[in-house]
Amino acid sequence: MARISLKNVRKSYGATHVIKGVDIEIEDGEFCVFVGPSGCGKSTLLRMIAGLEDITSGELRIGETLVNDLPPKDRGVAMVFQSYAIFPHMTVCENVAFGLTIAGASKEEKEAKVAEAARILQMEHLLDRRPSQLSGGQRQRVAIGRAIVRKPQVFLFDEPLSNLDAALRMDMRMEIGRLHQQLGASMIYVTHDQVEAMTLADKIVVLKDGQVMQIGAPMDLYHDPANLFVAGFLGAPSMNFVKVTVQGVNGNKVLVSNAALDPVEVSGKRGPFKVGDQAILGLRPQYLSVAEGAGRLHGSVALTERLGSETVVEVTLKDGSPLIAALSHDAVFDIGSQMNLEFDPAQAHLFPEDGTATSSRH
Amino acid sequence: MAMISADNRGLRLATRYAVLVLIALIFIFPLVFMVMSSLKPDQQLLQDSGSLRAFLPVGDISLSNYFAAFQRAPVGTFVFNSVLVTGVTVVLSLLVCSAAAFAFVFVGWKGRDVLLSILLATLILPFETIAIPLLMMVAHLPWLGMDGLTWGWLNSYRVQIVPFIADGLTVFLFVQYFKDLPGELIEAARVEGASWFQIYRRIVMPLSGPILATAAILKFLVMYNQYLWPLMVTQAEGYRPVMVGLQYFFQLNVAWGEVMAYLSLITVPVLAFYLYLQKAFIASIASTGVKG
């Protein structure tokens, strides 16, 4: 087990900068998820930690050791690939034992450790099979088995569930979570699926264009996003962004409004804001409710989706901009009917208009 | 209607088979002609050659041409030399060229693209252009053997083997095949602690059955059919291969029956090798371990 520390880590291919100075601390035994859109550099960062990509500059430490120039085999890491990467010419047993065979382990030791891994992953009956005889989920188990059998300091997962169908993905997600509790090892997990990130992580690192947008516990990121990108990326349906004008500033409180929004006082901690500024008000669809009185936001119903447990309503605000409300009950609305919405100002997030301010919170 | 369509199907099938049989016959006739002629005395052979009898075992059939061929030339020595030179070259070539291709494809090092381009450029050079410089070189190379240090490689097996171990075409074949292997298999093995050599031996080679068979067949044919080079570098009968041996049958009076007998004999190793590898080729088609 070990902590992993990245200090100002950069990666360039010629003039193209892929990772632009990343600082991350991952504690011993922590489950850390790198999340971000395609091309944000999350997989590259993971491969740099694995030793499969060179580090252009910066420091990468696993435990106390500076591993920048160590080959993958000397880093004490195990990796599970998106394509599973199990060796097609070997049986499941030989695949799982591969690392031990390379390390020169005795036959008894290999048998004992493979049996242990097979028991943990419930695949004892598969050991004599060839990869071509396995389903996608079973192949993924073999890949995980190969990773856990060597008892590495750090586990690296590169989008391990993206090739599985939805039902199996949920099962395997829970299994990986259970595995983390069982093994207590540090794990780094790359995904573009925010559900995986939210459910598995102790710590989420949100990346965009090779830069860290925010680091924190899943709920901290959800409830207190540092910038527009994180706010929009986490949560489904994603956060509504309403353009507003600052009407007044009172200490840390900012009074905002627009044509569809009655003046409301919200926290201005991501400021500074001054009177007359344009700003963005972030409202999670789940925190909007139909007002019993006049409400704060005014528009008309454009579309409704009834999902049984909740109703997703698309509202066209008075100023013409769209807004999504996820109501936690089944409800019927007429298209075009007037709708007034209410929200708790404490749950609203005010961002400067450019929204690009980044912050790293450890 | 049904009858007509059934007839049509039958006719189509018959036509298809007829065409296939015709093509097969075109390919097999020279071989049949060779083997049948080897069993006939020269006079009958020449008489038959204008008719279909040339492809049939009719008339005065015997193995006497084979006995005569063995008397005219050291056939056993020639076949042994060819099989030895070809066998050793094929094995060493597969090892060296696959290792080179492995380094080109999987191991990152400076200048590999340039070097690969230069190597591939050698493909356009016909052997004849380098034959004389190569001859002058091997004539002066040192060798540390049983007799101590000697100079010049002429009249030996090594002079027929060493220059042909590494070649651009075989490296190119392996490079193309390796590029199609899933890179994540190699990366997974690296993370698991395997050295480059272990990855080559335990992962890449076991997955390379089809290309090993293909490269082996191509190399075998080139080596077994060597004529110009062994003619240049071997004067002693004891080191000469089968193709050079063919000369022995065209001195003074040409006995066509003996020529055919000799050709039949030297074709056997080629057919045996091909049939053996064809089986290996089919057996070794690897299923992929990567989701696809």
Side-chain angles (χ1 to χ4, degrees):
Chain A
M1 311 308 131
R3 69 196 299 264
I4 300 126
S5 146
L6 290 84
K7 284 212 176 79
N8 198 19
V9 167
R10 289 168 190 273
K11 171 80 185 171
S12 311
Y13 297 102
T16 314
H17 305 296
V18 187
I19 302 291
K20 301 164 184 166
V22 164
D23 295 286
I24 303 172
E25 299 284 339
I26 299 162
E27 299 303 325
D28 186 9
E30 201 165 42
F31 198 120
C32 178
V33 175
F34 294 173
V35 69
S38 301
C40 69
K42 56 192 189 297
S43 280
T44 307
L45 200 54
L46 190 78
R47 291 166 57 80
M48 286 160 79
I49 296 170
L52 297 170
E53 298 276 355
D54 294 335
I55 295 168
T56 308
S57 69
E59 277 187 9
L60 170 61
R61 289 177 189 276
I62 297 177
E64 294 306 310
T65 321
L66 182 71
V67 298
N68 281 33
D69 299 318
L70 286 186
K73 64 188 170 80
D74 298 331
R75 296 191 180 197
V77 299
M79 186 157 169
V80 176
F81 292 84
Q82 183 177 4
S83 65
Y84 321 142
I86 51 179
F87 308 123
H89 57 295
M90 298 180 190
T91 62
V92 168
C93 183
E94 289 166 338
N95 261 289
V96 174
F98 183 77
L100 300 173
T101 308
I102 292 294
S106 69
K107 195 166 171 245
E108 295 74 32
E109 186 188 350
K110 278 197 278 185
E111 276 172 5
K113 287 189 170 171
V114 170
E116 164 81 4
R119 189 185 55 75
I120 292 174
L121 295 167
Q122 295 154 23
M123 57 173 193
E124 288 103 329
H125 59 295
L126 302 176
L127 288 177
D128 293 326
R129 293 208 198 155
R130 296 253 167 200
S132 56
Q133 298 167 303
L134 303 178
S135 68
Q138 289 170 331
R139 289 181 198 194
Q140 191 55 274
R141 267 169 221 273
V142 176
I144 294 173
R146 187 173 64 194
I148 65 176
V149 80
R150 282 190 300 126
K151 299 216 179 344
Q153 301 185 66
V154 181
F155 285 90
L156 307 174
F157 293 90
D158 188 4
E159 305 208 25
L161 307 184
S162 57
N163 282 342
L164 303 178
D165 60 51
L168 200 54
R169 198 179 307 166
M170 194 169 137
D171 288 350
M172 286 302 286
R173 193 174 74 214
M174 291 165 115
E175 200 150 328
I176 289 175
R178 202 159 40 231
L179 199 67
H180 175 241
Q181 287 178 347
Q182 222 168 332
L183 302 174
S186 311
M187 292 187 174
I188 305 178
Y189 187 105
V190 163
T191 182
H192 59 260
D193 182 332
Q194 52 159 308
V195 179
E196 283 173 28
M198 297 297 284
T199 51
L200 286 171
D202 296 321
K203 178 187 275 177
I204 293 182
V205 177
V206 183
L207 290 155
K208 183 194 171 199
D209 297 336
Q211 285 175 304
V212 173
M213 291 285 112
Q214 191 174 2
I215 299 178
M219 286 308 135
D220 291 349
L221 265 58
Y222 185 81
H223 292 299
D224 190 13
N227 50 54
L228 276 179
F229 179 78
V230 176
F233 191 79
L234 293 179
S238 52
M239 189 184 278
N240 295 296
F241 295 129
V242 180
K243 279 189 181 173
V244 292
T245 310
V246 175
Q247 305 290 355
V249 180
N250 177 15
N252 207 17
K253 293 284 180 188
V254 181
L255 188 70
V256 297
S257 72
N258 74 4
L261 174 71
D262 298 341
V264 57
E265 202 173 51
V266 296
S267 162
K269 63 182 176 181
R270 295 179 193 84
F273 298 97
K274 56 184 193 299
V275 176
D277 275 358
Q278 295 293 306
I280 307 277
L281 187 67
L283 298 168
R284 292 221 178 265
Q286 289 81 357
Y287 293 141
L288 292 168
S289 56
V290 178
E292 297 190 350
R296 296 177 192 275
L297 268 170
H298 312 289
S300 57
V301 176
L303 192 75
T304 58
E305 288 178 332
R306 294 170 65 193
L307 305 175
S309 62
E310 65 171 11
T311 309
V312 178
V313 186
E314 190 182 322
V315 178
T316 304
L317 293 179
K318 268 186 175 169
D319 62 354
S321 57
L323 182 97
I324 305 279
L327 310 173
S328 61
H329 54 87
D330 187 27
V332 185
F333 300 98
D334 293 330
I335 305 289
S337 63
Q338 176 72 24
M339 178 169 264
N340 296 321
L341 294 162
E342 184 61 87
F343 62 88
D344 176 3
Q347 303 283 7
H349 310 276
L350 190 67
F351 299 95
E353 194 187 21
D354 63 10
T356 51
T358 62
S359 86
S360 302
R361 289 149 187 253
H362 295 268
Chain B
M1 275 303 275
M3 287 263 295
I4 293 170
S5 89
D7 279 355
N8 272 350
R9 213 166 34 237
L11 196 67
R12 267 210 306 274
L13 208 63
T15 317
R16 192 180 304 165
Y17 274 106
V19 171
L20 288 177
V21 166
L22 190 71
I23 293 172
L25 285 178
I26 290 171
F27 277 94
I28 211 162
F29 266 165
L31 279 177
V32 175
F33 175 73
M34 178 181 80
V35 175
M36 291 307 147
S37 301
S38 74
L39 301 170
K40 297 172 184 175
D42 265 17
Q43 199 191 348
Q44 192 199 332
L45 189 161
L46 294 172
Q47 272 173 3
D48 287 354
S49 63
S51 69
L52 268 183
R53 288 169 63 88
F55 303 106
L56 301 170
V58 289
D60 184 7
I61 298 294
S62 76
L63 290 175
S64 61
N65 284 330
Y66 287 85
F67 295 118
F70 272 98
Q71 270 172 4
R72 191 189 275 242
V75 179
T77 307
F78 292 154
V79 171
F80 173 80
N81 290 345
S82 270
V83 169
L84 179 78
V85 166
T86 303
V88 172
T89 314
V90 167
V91 170
L92 292 180
S93 178
L94 292 184
L95 287 173
V96 169
C97 296
S98 63
F102 180 89
F104 278 124
V105 176
F106 298 120
V107 188
W109 43 280
K110 246 188 174 162
R112 64 176 178 170
D113 292 339
V114 176
L115 206 63
L116 185 62
S117 309
I118 294 172
L119 190 74
L120 295 184
T122 64
L123 288 179
I124 58 169
L125 285 182
F127 177 72
E128 285 76 3
T129 56
I130 61 162
I132 300 297
L134 194 61
L135 175 69
M136 293 173 71
M137 197 169 88
V138 296
H140 299 100
L141 282 178
W143 184 260
L144 194 60
M146 295 289 193
D147 316 324
L149 189 66
T150 53
W151 295 87
W153 284 16
L154 299 182
N155 273 324
S156 65
Y157 288 126
R158 64 181 176 270
V159 74
Q160 300 179 64
I161 293 172
V162 177
F164 300 98
I165 291 173
D167 78 289
L169 179 66
T170 312
V171 174
F172 175 68
L173 288 176
F174 278 109
V175 164
Q176 289 306 107
Y177 185 83
F178 290 170
K179 276 185 180 167
D180 287 341
L181 284 179
E184 289 195 341
L185 291 181
I186 312 300
E187 291 178 344
R190 283 180 68 197
V191 174
E192 289 297 307
S195 64
W196 286 120
F197 180 71
Q198 284 168 323
I199 294 172
Y200 168 75
R201 196 173 74 81
R202 289 176 183 273
I203 308 294
V204 173
M205 278 296 108
L207 293 175
S208 298
I211 197 63
L212 283 169
T214 308
I217 288 172
L218 292 178
K219 192 77 190 175
F220 183 96
L221 289 178
V222 168
M223 291 310 294
Y224 200 74
N225 290 331
Q226 284 275 23
Y227 177 73
L228 177 65
W229 181 249
L231 190 66
M232 289 164 69
V233 295
T234 59
Q235 276 84 46
E237 203 168 70
Y239 289 108
R240 292 197 143 172
V242 288
M243 291 305 159
V244 177
L246 193 56
Q247 282 183 355
Y248 284 62
F249 295 87
F250 289 96
Q251 288 156 357
L252 300 173
N253 53 338
V254 179
W256 287 106
E258 289 174 31
V259 172
M260 294 300 169
Y262 181 72
L263 291 176
S264 301
L265 282 170
I266 67 173
T267 308
V268 172
V270 182
L271 286 181
F273 183 72
Y274 180 74
L275 290 177
Y276 167 72
L277 270 196
Q278 195 189 29
K279 226 174 159 184
F281 179 86
I282 292 166
S284 67
I285 291 173
S287 59
T288 170
V290 170
K291 170 94 177 172

